[in-house]
Amino acid sequence: MSYNTIYKKEGCVKLNYNPETGVIYVVWKSMFDQDLTRHVCEQALELVQNGAKVIIINLSKTKGAILEETQKWFQTYLFPGYVKAGLRAIINIDSEVPVVRMAAHTWIQKGAGFSFDMIAVNSRDEAAKVASEYLSK
């Protein structure tokens, strides 16, 4: 898949988007800055509001974790925004770091009550396969 870079902060995050497929691909390297995390999530929400259908979040090499305050923001603001905009799925590529993987699974659990699916996978190839299944529905 070919992506356009929407936002990049060296050493922290890269947010890419493919407008042809409607897939957002976010690669996180550092999640220590909660303000940056929210900023990138806001940008992803704008893309979903403009037609994106699937978000792939690559956490495989991430350091840091989402704090409880940001987890609550996901549940009360971000996830309802995704629902309203028509998001189909968030696909997390699991981290090799246990604390990051645990935090990601927390937001998967908190997102379970919303009308989009949240899935954890182990590789980029697996994420691409799952994304294509959602896009063909």
Side-chain angles (χ1 to χ4, degrees):
M1 288 187 229
S2 174
Y3 292 94
N4 301 323
T5 299
I6 304 300
Y7 179 84
K8 182 177 182 178
K9 183 169 183 182
E10 202 63 46
C12 290
V13 64
K14 187 174 180 183
L15 172 71
N16 300 305
Y17 180 55
N18 182 325
E20 293 174 21
T21 62
V23 175
I24 299 168
Y25 184 74
V26 186
V27 179
W28 283 100
K29 293 185 179 178
S30 172
M31 294 186 103
F32 290 110
D33 184 337
Q34 301 300 292
D35 290 334
L36 177 62
T37 300
R38 288 181 187 212
H39 174 72
V40 171
C41 289
E42 288 274 7
Q43 291 200 340
L45 177 56
E46 285 181 31
L47 291 169
V48 174
Q49 289 168 335
N50 289 307
K53 298 297 179 202
V54 174
I55 302 172
I56 298 172
I57 304 171
N58 188 337
L59 301 169
S60 61
K61 305 288 184 193
T62 304
K63 294 180 178 151
I66 301 299
L67 299 179
E68 183 62 30
E69 175 184 309
T70 303
Q71 295 275 8
K72 287 178 183 173
W73 179 82
F74 286 174
Q75 193 166 10
T76 60
Y77 173 79
L78 185 64
F79 293 166
Y82 285 157
V83 168
K84 187 176 179 183
L87 183 69
R88 293 183 189 163
I90 296 176
I91 303 164
N92 291 306
I93 301 172
D94 262 340
S95 174
E96 299 168 357
V97 180
V99 71
V100 176
R101 188 172 45 249
M102 198 166 58
H105 285 259
T106 297
W107 78 61
I108 288 172
Q109 289 171 348
K110 291 187 181 216
F114 294 94
S115 63
F116 56 85
D117 292 335
M118 295 192 69
I119 299 137
V121 297
N122 294 313
S123 69
R124 187 175 177 165
D125 287 342
E126 192 178 348
K129 180 182 177 209
V130 172
S132 66
E133 290 169 6
Y134 276 94
L135 295 170
S136 67
K137 290 181 180 179

